[in-house]
Amino acid sequence: MTKQNIQNRINYLRKELNKHNYNYYVKSQPTISDYDYDMLINELIKLENENPDFFDVNSPSQRVGNDINVEFKQIRHKYQMLSLGNTYSKQEIIDFDNRVRKTIGDNFEYVCELKFDGTSISLTYINGKLHHAVTRGDGVMGDDVTSNVKTIKSIPLQLHGNDYPDELEVRGEIIIPLKAFNRLNEERIEIGEAPFANPRNAASGSLKIQKSSIVARRPLDCYLYYVLGDDLKFDNHYDNLQSAKKWGLKISENFKLCNNIEEITEFIEYWDKERQNLDYDIDGIVIKVNSIEQQEKLGFTAKSPRWAIAYKFKAERVSIKLYSIDYQVGRTGVITPVANLEPVQLGGTIVKRASLHNADIIKNLNIRINDTVFVEKGGEIIPKIVGIDRSKRKKDSKPLIYIDKCPECGTNLIRSEGEAHHFCPNEFGCPPQIKGKIEHFISRKAMNIDSLGQETIDLLFKNKLINNVADLYDLKIEQLIPLERMGQKSASNIIKSIEESKKVPFQKVLYALGIRFVGETVAKTLSKNFNSIDNIENAGFERLINVEEIGEKIAESIIKFFNNEINYKLIERLKNKGLQFKIFEEEQNKASDKLKGLSIIISGTFKNHSRDELKLLIEENGGKNVSSISKNTDFLLAGDKIGPSKLTKVKKLGIPIITEDDFIDMIK
Ligand code: IVH
């Protein structure tokens, strides 16, 4: 390559990498696979190293990962948080092994572990208590996210046993399990929030939320993989991990001592297949020298330890034909482009569709109908289009023009400033929006009208019997019976369960209305704080945002909802039909200080309340729910099947036992 060619290539790589960094970090919408990204950055680093005259401080190669957030307090890491050298090639593992042998000889062992794909965290325990939790930041300083991390149930706040060192640091990865991730995204789509691109982004985003009460509802989990401290119990990594497990720290079962390259390769190959069956993403294997003394001998480079390396899996990838693009219209009018693909077997399932998310993604990929596209499925469940095979593009192919009219109702689409999605503003006239709203209204967590489903809603809509949720309550059995696939029995079930739904409590009715950004929890918070729909309607912006967990975006959406004449009329009709628009009186009288100063323990199962509900009732009435019995406990609130040892203990201490009914009487 001539100097000029090298300069051109370096410039090209810097430009590409800057673009991908922006897509990934700013927009959370990567358009390139991790593998391709790593290939580009490695090529750039290599060219820059070989040609130091082209050095540039602003090159993407000079960026040290930095996730510092100005809103959090900064804490300096006691031990720098470095990353790992990584590779996709087995030859480089052999090279690594040779380097290690050169320094420490042949008498050593490796530990092979899973490389968890989440966001790294460092936990410090002092005298067994979780003292602080800090993100990687720039490796030297990180964000103090202790209060958020404390919400993660698998992270012990107090270590078990008594043989832990006075000061202990453990490092690990915060992740979101795949099933929980999919549920989280479904819920976000339900309330009109943009879904997360992948579990890793969702985990790191969740950790940076300012309110830990919101973090507590994110399904975060954590695997720990590295123990540090001045007086660790053992002189090797493997045994230290085992002792950390005994202290109650969550350490994966899947790590193994390996003696040679063959055993390492076997571990890699096993997990490259088996990762399909894990409920979380891993993106490779980490290989570490076991002995701490030997680790110290090997030392560190500026960025990573010389005693460890990560082998990254290539995501399973196929190249297939893109047939067409469908544009789906969601309940809130959001348009999602979906690619129809040549069906192909990938990662254990047949893939024939992939979401293209929004117009920007399509533009960045520069995708065209009939292109051959690369589709990948890592550990993630949803397949991704990560690029196109330009060599297979037909000469006559034309750039794709994104739709500007709703494919369902023809209304001009809108795209607001700063929003990634287009949406159809025809809220009350666009069929999928009308039907979507009704489907949401009848769903299990909302009005729970289980005799109706998507197909019946379609049928009723097609026959012009319903056009909004209030119409459901006007339905007559005689109108239903003549419809196709409907008999006397199902018709009467439908009417019966619609009637039943009038008893559904206010918080669920509020959720059922489908106000944008008002999910199940927000609805619960609103109903608890305002008691009735009228109070919510009249609260105004300031009072709404004064409530913990209600931000400006939610408040604005609520106000917009009530300002709309159609919504207002709809609610009036529903009120007249007898739906619950305020909380039950029993609940309204709930908050009191009747249990002030009382410590109450709950045990067993109950007829009318869940344990969480009882706990809430205790707190709302000024009491304290305690988890272990002592002479300071005032009552045992006992249900069925209470543990015999608990019973003996309370009897011995003379603590009074009350039933669920006694308890409700007490707070009445
Ligand atoms: S050890 C000094 N072990 O991968 C060595 N890291 O680029 C510290 N990771 O920042 C890391 N699983 O966030 C280690 N079993 C594992 C890991 C792991 C995931 C992450 C970690 C680190 C990155 C390396």
Side-chain angles (χ1 to χ4, degrees):
M1 256 208 271
T2 64
K3 270 276 170 201
Q4 188 55 49
N5 284 348
I6 293 171
Q7 167 101 67
N8 290 348
R9 183 68 189 163
I10 287 181
N11 288 347
Y12 167 79
L13 290 168
R14 288 177 181 165
K15 213 168 130 211
E16 276 293 289
L17 285 159
N18 282 333
K19 183 180 91 186
H20 291 306
N21 282 342
Y22 176 75
N23 287 340
Y24 185 93
Y25 291 105
V26 182
K27 297 174 66 183
S28 291
Q29 282 164 344
T31 54
I32 182 174
S33 69
D34 291 355
Y35 175 76
D36 289 340
Y37 181 90
D38 287 347
M39 290 296 127
L40 294 179
I41 189 94
N42 288 343
E43 185 187 346
L44 178 63
I45 292 170
K46 186 162 174 277
L47 284 177
E48 286 178 342
N49 283 344
E50 289 166 359
N51 301 278
D53 41 330
F54 294 137
F55 174 81
D56 180 350
V57 276
N58 288 328
S59 167
S61 63
Q62 300 303 306
R63 270 179 194 271
V64 198
N66 183 338
D67 63 1
I68 287 184
N69 185 318
V70 285
E71 314 259 357
F72 289 97
K73 194 175 95 194
Q74 302 296 299
I75 291 190
R76 181 175 289 275
H77 293 293
K78 183 167 172 192
Y79 310 91
Q80 236 197 353
M81 249 178 123
L82 298 172
S83 65
L84 292 170
N86 63 44
T87 176
Y88 290 90
S89 105
K90 300 225 173 101
Q91 181 55 47
E92 285 189 35
I93 301 288
I94 297 173
D95 297 345
F96 163 78
D97 181 56
N98 286 333
R99 284 197 303 275
V100 169
R101 280 171 201 280
K102 239 190 212 153
T103 313
I104 58 168
D106 292 332
N107 189 14
F108 68 93
E109 290 170 317
Y110 289 115
V111 179
C112 284
E113 298 170 11
L114 305 185
K115 185 171 186 310
F116 302 95
D117 194 9
T119 183
S120 46
I121 193 76
S122 166
L123 310 174
T124 299
Y125 285 86
I126 296 183
N127 295 326
K129 284 201 168 42
L130 178 62
H131 190 267
H132 54 266
V134 186
T135 64
R136 191 170 100 94
D138 61 5
V140 179
M141 310 264 283
D143 285 336
D144 176 1
V145 288
T146 314
S147 53
N148 286 350
V149 163
K150 282 186 170 168
T151 67
I152 303 174
K153 308 285 188 304
S154 53
I155 294 183
L157 303 181
Q158 167 73 49
L159 296 180
H160 305 175
N162 50 17
D163 59 344
Y164 42 74
D166 294 346
E167 186 166 340
L168 175 75
E169 187 165 333
V170 264
R171 302 236 169 116
E173 202 82 353
I174 295 188
I175 55 142
I176 295 194
L178 295 175
K179 281 200 201 81
F181 170 75
N182 287 328
R183 235 177 290 131
L184 177 68
N185 261 357
E186 276 163 24
E187 280 164 20
R188 285 175 73 84
I189 294 167
E190 258 305 305
I191 61 167
E193 296 261 19
F196 290 110
N198 55 48
R200 187 205 313 140
N201 284 3
S204 63
S206 300
L207 210 56
K208 296 301 179 73
I209 295 175
Q210 296 295 322
K211 283 186 179 171
S212 52
S213 53
I214 299 180
V215 184
R217 278 190 259 111
R218 294 281 167 87
L220 297 171
D221 200 348
C222 180
Y223 280 102
L224 298 157
Y225 46 63
Y226 187 28
V227 189
L228 286 144
D230 296 333
D231 16 68
L232 295 179
K233 278 184 87 74
F234 297 100
D235 62 0
N236 69 83
H237 176 62
Y238 187 87
D239 290 332
N240 280 325
L241 282 185
Q242 300 286 12
S243 61
K245 197 185 277 186
K246 272 198 352 234
W247 298 326
L249 293 160
K250 184 159 175 173
I251 314 279
S252 156
E253 296 290 319
N254 307 314
F255 64 103
K256 191 174 174 229
L257 279 173
C258 290
N259 283 302
N260 49 45
I261 289 286
E262 289 70 38
E263 287 177 19
I264 294 176
T265 311
E266 201 183 304
F267 190 85
I268 290 177
E269 278 164 11
Y270 176 79
W271 282 107
D272 195 5
K273 289 207 185 66
E274 194 53 29
R275 68 191 163 118
Q276 273 183 42
N277 299 323
L278 290 172
D279 188 33
Y280 48 83
D281 279 342
I282 60 170
D283 60 345
I285 293 300
V286 182
I287 303 146
K288 299 175 181 171
V289 168
N290 190 24
S291 144
I292 294 177
E293 198 187 321
Q294 287 175 329
Q295 287 183 358
E296 280 164 2
K297 245 189 216 148
L298 285 157
F300 295 87
T301 70
K303 285 188 180 162
S304 49
R306 287 203 188 86
W307 46 265
I309 192 167
Y311 174 88
K312 292 185 65 173
F313 297 130
K314 280 189 208 119
E316 231 188 303
R317 164 192 278 214
V318 284
S319 84
I320 41 174
K321 196 80 165 273
L322 169 86
Y323 289 146
S324 61
I325 293 180
D326 286 341
Y327 294 88
Q328 292 179 343
V329 187
R331 166 173 75 84
T332 50
V334 170
I335 308 289
T336 312
V338 178
N340 291 311
L341 306 165
E342 179 189 338
V344 67
Q345 180 85 26
L346 184 65
T349 47
I350 291 180
V351 171
K352 42 187 177 203
R353 281 158 80 78
S355 169
L356 282 163
H357 303 283
N358 57 50
D360 284 346
I361 296 269
I362 293 182
K363 199 167 137 208
N364 283 332
L365 284 166
N366 184 11
I367 212 166
R368 299 179 182 186
I369 304 293
N370 282 329
D371 268 347
T372 299
V373 296
F374 296 118
V375 177
E376 260 187 17
K377 201 167 156 195
E380 296 143 31
I381 288 175
I382 304 153
K384 263 202 306 237
I385 296 182
V386 292
I388 47 177
D389 185 347
R390 285 193 183 252
S391 67
K392 300 228 172 89
R393 178 171 278 175
K394 299 247 163 52
K395 283 217 176 59
D396 58 353
S397 85
K398 294 200 180 51
L400 194 103
I401 299 170
Y402 203 80
I403 51 166
D404 58 2
K405 291 199 168 34
C406 175
E408 301 281 343
C409 71
T411 305
N412 286 338
L413 298 181
I414 289 180
R415 187 186 195 183
S416 315
E417 188 74 31
E419 292 257 343
H421 289 94
H422 286 69
F423 84 99
C424 166
N426 187 15
E427 201 185 333
F428 301 103
C430 179
Q433 294 190 60
I434 297 174
K435 286 189 281 185
K437 279 195 187 69
I438 303 175
E439 277 162 25
H440 170 75
F441 185 82
I442 61 157
S443 64
R444 194 174 50 81
K445 290 183 193 161
M447 304 305 284
N448 192 19
I449 307 180
D450 59 359
S451 57
L452 288 176
Q454 196 182 350
E455 279 177 27
T456 335
I457 301 287
D458 259 349
L459 185 70
L460 298 175
F461 177 78
K462 209 169 75 195
N463 284 281
K464 298 201 167 39
L465 290 173
I466 53 170
N467 201 43
N468 59 46
V469 298
D471 292 343
L472 289 172
Y473 295 90
D474 286 335
L475 288 173
K476 304 268 172 317
I477 193 156
E478 317 79 82
Q479 294 173 305
L480 300 183
I481 293 171
L483 301 176
E484 8 161 345
R485 282 175 283 117
M486 180 80 69
Q488 168 85 34
K489 181 104 196 284
S490 20
S492 106
N493 277 343
I494 290 174
I495 300 292
K496 206 165 93 202
S497 62
I498 292 177
E499 194 56 32
E500 278 285 301
S501 76
K502 292 181 180 170
K503 292 193 212 127
V504 165
F506 171 51
Q507 68 187 46
K508 295 198 174 202
V509 179
L510 186 57
Y511 168 66
L513 293 177
I515 305 172
R516 197 159 181 216
F517 307 132
V518 178
E520 238 189 322
T521 346
V522 171
K524 216 181 249 176
T525 308
L526 285 168
S527 90
K528 210 166 81 188
N529 280 277
F530 294 97
N531 291 349
S532 71
I533 195 112
D534 294 341
N535 290 346
I536 297 173
E537 191 188 335
N538 299 325
F541 186 76
E542 290 303 323
R543 283 191 52 211
L544 284 170
I545 59 166
N546 259 335
V547 176
E548 170 99 19
E549 293 176 33
I550 309 289
E552 293 184 6
K553 196 170 77 175
I554 302 176
E556 271 163 20
S557 164
I558 295 171
I559 291 174
K560 192 167 155 222
F561 179 87
F562 286 107
N563 279 344
N564 187 314
E565 180 79 20
I566 300 181
N567 290 329
Y568 177 80
K569 283 191 178 142
L570 197 75
I571 290 175
E572 285 307 299
R573 272 181 71 198
L574 292 173
K575 274 183 186 165
N576 290 335
K577 295 287 176 194
L579 274 70
Q580 305 299 323
F581 279 103
K582 51 177 192 278
I583 62 174
F584 297 132
E585 226 151 277
E586 168 202 331
E587 273 179 274
Q588 214 154 13
N589 297 331
K590 222 166 40 180
S592 79
D593 54 5
K594 287 186 177 142
L595 304 176
K596 200 168 166 191
L598 297 182
S599 292
I600 302 176
I601 189 157
I602 307 177
S603 183
T605 54
F606 297 85
K607 274 195 314 275
N608 301 320
H609 296 87
S610 72
R611 288 164 71 110
D612 279 344
E613 281 166 346
L614 290 171
K615 192 172 162 217
L616 197 70
L617 284 173
I618 294 178
E619 282 158 9
E620 280 173 347
N621 288 285
K624 202 163 130 204
N625 171 229
V626 290
S627 51
S628 60
I629 305 168
S630 75
K631 60 178 187 337
N632 298 326
T633 312
D634 293 288
F635 291 107
L636 168 74
L637 171 48
D640 288 340
K641 301 195 194 116
I642 107 162
S645 66
K646 248 185 200 155
L647 208 55
T648 326
K649 201 161 174 191
V650 288
K651 282 192 177 147
K652 206 163 131 202
L653 290 169
I655 296 168
I657 300 175
I658 55 170
T659 65
E660 188 179 4
D661 292 342
D662 297 337
F663 174 73
I664 297 299
D665 279 346
M666 274 171 83
I667 57 171
K668 236 187 200 153

